Amino acid sequence: MRVRRANSREKILAAAADVAREAGPGSLSLEAVASRAGVSKGGLLYNFPTKAKLMQGLVESYLNNFQKALEARAAAAGHEGVLSAYIKLSADDCEQPKPSASWMFSAIAEDPDFLTPIKAFKRQLFERLKEETNDLGSLLVCFLAIEGMRSMNLFDSDVLSQGERELLVASLLKIAG
């Protein structure tokens, strides 16, 4: 059986993710990504005309992977709802080291539409969670607490100890039922 080779766009995104992890997203260069992906700079620019578009592609790829992981976790949990799966997956995600998010500000300045896929993803997720609960108040508390934890992690401004994060997650899971 032949293994399907990744298309150029997928190879470029994988290479960009690797370079961003190594050098930090703010230090990402198109030349380094093209070299790592094994494509010409012209091939990279064909798929991603600007660095901002490449960064947006990375964000969209992250969101797609998060969505797949959420679906898998929710399916594996069985009796637990999607909200509990979201809380656990987000808590696990926050435990992973992340490079500084300062690159995000320059991407937003260069392309105001940069946040569009993030907003759409969050809105779609929230609407799905709303469909699965009868207690909108509890959902709002859980959703906003997790988003706050994710934001603190993203912007390297986490003020909670490991024990406090664990208590927060346990409390949110209790609220989520």
Side-chain angles (χ1 to χ4, degrees):
M1 178 189 284
R2 247 169 77 170
V3 176
R4 184 177 165 251
R5 288 177 36 178
N7 67 33
S8 302
R9 185 175 174 83
E10 292 167 344
K11 286 191 329 190
I12 292 167
L13 287 172
D18 289 345
V19 171
R21 267 192 296 278
E22 293 167 8
S27 302
L28 190 76
S29 79
L30 298 179
E31 293 79 10
V33 172
S35 175
R36 176 74 61 97
V39 299
S40 67
K41 187 171 177 186
L44 184 147
L45 292 172
Y46 175 80
N47 287 282
F48 301 98
T50 64
K51 183 177 175 181
K53 292 295 182 191
L54 176 60
M55 299 307 289
Q56 188 173 0
L58 276 174
V59 168
E60 289 170 355
S61 177
Y62 169 80
L63 294 174
N64 288 336
N65 290 337
F66 188 87
Q67 180 67 34
K68 289 176 187 171
L70 179 60
E71 296 302 329
R73 185 165 251 178
H79 68 283
E80 286 183 343
V82 177
L83 180 56
S84 293
Y86 174 62
I87 292 167
K88 290 177 181 177
L89 182 61
S90 295
D92 291 348
D93 196 43
C94 286
E95 293 299 317
Q96 304 303 313
K98 303 247 183 326
S100 167
S102 59
W103 62 272
M104 193 178 290
F105 299 117
S106 61
I108 293 167
E110 190 172 326
D111 181 4
D113 291 331
F114 178 78
L115 292 176
T116 300
I118 298 169
K119 289 177 184 177
F121 175 82
K122 298 285 185 183
R123 181 63 165 154
Q124 183 179 31
L125 174 62
F126 184 68
E127 291 301 323
R128 178 177 177 196
L129 293 170
K130 276 176 39 178
E131 290 172 5
E132 297 184 11
T133 186
N134 294 325
D135 187 354
L136 182 58
S138 293
L139 169 60
L140 286 167
V141 168
C142 292
F143 188 78
L144 292 174
I146 285 297
E147 288 304 311
M149 187 172 78
R150 292 178 68 83
S151 292
M152 286 192 311
N153 180 261
L154 177 66
F155 293 106
D156 196 23
S157 61
D158 194 351
V159 297
L160 302 178
S161 69
Q162 180 66 32
E164 290 165 335
R165 276 191 304 279
E166 289 171 2
L167 178 60
L168 172 64
V169 170
S171 298
L172 293 174
L173 288 170
K174 190 182 296 183
I175 292 169

